[in-house]
Amino acid sequence: MRGEEAQSKCPDVKVFMVEEQRGKANLNKFRAASNEVMNAISSFDPKIVVERASIDEAYLDLTNYIESCSVEPVIDDLSDMLVAGILEENQINDVNEAHKKSLQYFFEQVESNSDDHDLLVGAYAVKQIRNKILDQTQFKCSAGISRNKMLAKLSSVLNKPNGQTLLPLSSVPFLYRTTPITKVANLGGKLGEEIKKIFKIELMSELAELSQSQLAQHFNSKTCQWLINVSKGLEHRPVVARSIPKSIGCGKNFTGIGRNALTTLEQATFWILQLSEELVERLATDEEANGRRAKLLTVSIKFHDKDVFSKSLPLYDITAEKISEDVKRHVFSKYTLSNGSLVHPIVMLSLMAAKFTKSYLLHNVSKLDTYFAKAEKPQDQRDNETSITTPTESV
């Protein structure tokens, strides 16, 4: 619930607000904490591929580490781990006892040369990484260990807080019995909603029961094969080494049509400038740390009862004033009435910078652009007396 709604139902609840800056939550402390955690993960072993997925999430490819690891995990090493799908088979009501029994059962079934044994070695590594994060940052975290990014993500929430879950492929049917279709990567948007509407289903277990011929009546062969693979727990997205984000953005929600939603261009202009200032500040910090500069700006707007609308603009002059003016001119002009009102109330507004390139490349382009600048055309005295010369904009 939102804080106000929670307080209306429970007046004694204590609600703590995040520190604000420019009228919105200031997440700088969270970003700094995120960097600490990512540094701890990345320094564990160079053979592990780390992909930073968000401010509080990362994917790890442990393949090379497992192949070179000589450690033989024992149950005591993984005492806080749940092996998904075995709890139900043992019919145990006590959660702690269920974790212990599921782990014991799994260890007894695993052979030393099996894929599941590799998962145990990976789980041992994840436990050591979690310990390192705790030692270096004092932050606790949860993890999911499985054969691909999709299953690892889904299993990571099964043993919170401060626990880890191992999900063998044999336990996918168990997991899918309670997994909504829209919780799976790439099914959280229109495709997932379309599947739910067409087949009148809600869960991944129901999707797994559909035949290829049923799917082929509504989707092309590529989508059908992908859906069949996902319904079996198979996915092939690689973990891509990335310790810094692909994009930098900021936004604000304006909930409540009558009270908080933006209804005029003046209101929208104010918030565009606030977001632009935050974005420019973060881009400057990023350039100093990573030596790169963004070339693309994406503006996203959600009007009340409408889908999110996005428009991309080139990012040349990284100043809050220029960004704000470009957004106002190229985006909001078509959504503003003659009296200054917006055509629809805005409930969400965000700016995102992406398509980074090394700063020195942009500096070199700037020098070349100046070198080949078009020369001013000579004018006679009479022209000079009556004309106003404006500098040509360089892009």
Side-chain angles (χ1 to χ4, degrees):
M1 296 178 184
R2 296 184 63 80
E4 292 179 358
E5 183 183 357
Q7 285 180 314
S8 69
K9 297 179 180 295
C10 184
D12 294 333
V13 70
K14 304 298 182 184
V15 179
F16 295 88
M17 302 297 292
V18 176
E19 177 186 343
E20 290 192 353
Q21 185 178 22
R22 302 188 182 93
K24 59 186 294 294
N26 181 5
L27 301 181
N28 287 338
K29 290 181 180 179
F30 295 90
R31 296 188 185 103
S34 175
N35 289 336
E36 290 181 40
V37 173
M38 296 302 168
N39 289 338
I41 294 173
S42 298
S43 64
F44 179 77
D45 192 289
K47 292 184 288 296
I48 295 178
V49 181
V50 181
E51 177 182 338
R52 184 173 184 164
S54 68
I55 195 171
D56 64 348
E57 185 176 70
Y59 291 106
L60 312 184
D61 185 344
L62 303 168
T63 306
N64 294 332
Y65 175 87
I66 291 171
E67 290 175 352
S68 63
C69 184
S70 58
V71 173
E72 185 62 36
V74 297
I75 289 181
D76 290 344
D77 295 330
L78 300 168
S79 57
D80 69 342
M81 187 172 78
L82 167 68
V83 182
I86 297 179
L87 183 151
E88 186 180 66
E89 295 174 12
N90 285 278
Q91 298 292 309
I92 301 172
N93 294 322
D94 181 77
V95 173
N96 292 329
E97 185 67 15
H99 284 199
K100 182 178 178 181
K101 291 292 185 181
S102 66
L103 192 58
Q104 181 179 351
Y105 178 85
F106 190 72
F107 263 88
E108 291 172 354
Q109 300 302 309
V110 168
E111 298 179 3
S112 61
N113 62 346
S114 68
D115 288 344
D116 285 344
H117 181 268
D118 287 348
L119 287 180
L120 276 181
V121 177
Y124 174 81
V126 170
K127 175 63 176 179
Q128 304 312 306
I129 292 171
R130 291 175 53 230
N131 287 341
K132 183 173 185 178
I133 292 171
L134 182 61
D135 290 341
Q136 291 190 3
T137 71
Q138 305 305 304
F139 295 127
K140 299 176 181 179
C141 63
S142 301
I145 302 98
S146 195
R147 305 303 302 182
N148 54 56
K149 293 170 78 172
M150 175 186 69
L151 295 180
K153 165 75 172 175
L154 291 173
S155 60
S156 66
V157 301
L158 299 180
N159 191 17
K160 286 191 172 187
N162 193 34
Q164 63 185 59
T165 303
L166 187 151
L167 178 73
L169 278 177
S170 59
S171 293
V172 169
F174 163 82
L175 176 70
Y176 278 2
R177 290 177 206 167
T178 56
T179 301
I181 291 171
T182 51
K183 288 292 184 181
V184 175
N186 298 317
L187 288 177
K190 292 183 179 179
L191 178 58
E193 292 298 331
E194 190 175 359
I195 290 170
K196 289 168 56 179
K197 183 177 180 180
I198 291 172
F199 299 106
K200 295 180 173 54
I201 59 176
E202 294 289 336
L203 302 174
M204 285 299 296
S205 58
E206 296 173 303
L207 176 61
E209 294 174 356
L210 299 177
S211 66
Q212 185 164 0
S213 60
Q214 287 176 292
L215 294 170
Q217 294 178 26
H218 305 278
F219 305 105
N220 61 41
S221 58
K222 184 178 180 179
T223 302
C224 284
Q225 187 57 56
W226 181 80
L227 289 171
I228 289 172
N229 287 341
V230 168
S231 71
K232 296 177 180 177
L234 306 177
E235 191 219 24
H236 306 291
R237 285 181 301 154
V239 175
V240 180
R242 184 172 67 242
S243 59
I244 55 178
K246 293 175 64 177
S247 62
I248 294 177
C250 54
K252 183 171 176 63
N253 294 319
F254 306 95
T255 56
I257 293 304
R259 183 179 54 183
N260 296 323
L262 307 182
T263 57
T264 67
L265 179 61
E266 182 180 5
Q267 292 173 327
T269 300
F270 172 82
W271 282 107
I272 293 167
L273 183 58
Q274 303 308 305
L275 295 177
S276 298
E277 288 177 350
E278 179 182 345
L279 183 64
V280 168
E281 183 178 288
R282 291 183 58 199
L283 287 174
T285 301
D286 180 81
E287 182 174 6
E288 182 177 352
N290 303 309
R292 60 178 187 163
R293 190 177 296 182
K295 298 189 297 180
L296 186 72
L297 176 73
T298 299
V299 185
S300 296
I301 305 168
K302 187 177 189 325
F303 295 106
H304 177 58
D305 287 341
K306 304 288 182 183
D307 291 334
V308 175
F309 158 80
S310 296
K311 183 176 178 61
S312 295
L313 305 170
L315 195 54
Y316 296 127
D317 186 1
I318 305 181
T319 65
E321 293 74 16
K322 184 65 166 64
I323 291 174
S324 180
E325 183 59 35
D326 285 348
V327 172
K328 183 178 175 181
R329 180 190 307 168
H330 298 294
V331 179
F332 277 94
S333 58
K334 62 186 296 186
Y335 296 105
T336 306
L337 302 175
S338 58
N339 64 358
S341 298
L342 300 173
V343 292
H344 302 290
I346 292 177
V347 295
M348 186 279 292
L349 179 62
S350 71
L351 303 178
M352 182 182 71
K355 286 203 172 180
F356 287 89
T357 191
K358 291 296 183 181
S359 295
Y360 70 83
L361 294 177
L362 287 176
H363 293 323
N364 289 342
V365 169
S366 178
K367 291 178 182 178
L368 285 171
D369 184 63
T370 303
Y371 183 81
F372 290 106
K374 184 183 290 188
E376 291 289 340
K377 199 171 183 178
Q379 295 176 319
D380 58 30
Q381 184 63 34
R382 180 175 52 194
D383 288 337
N384 288 335
E385 290 174 353
T386 59
S387 66
I388 300 175
T389 303
T390 56
T392 303
E393 229 178 82
S394 176
V395 294

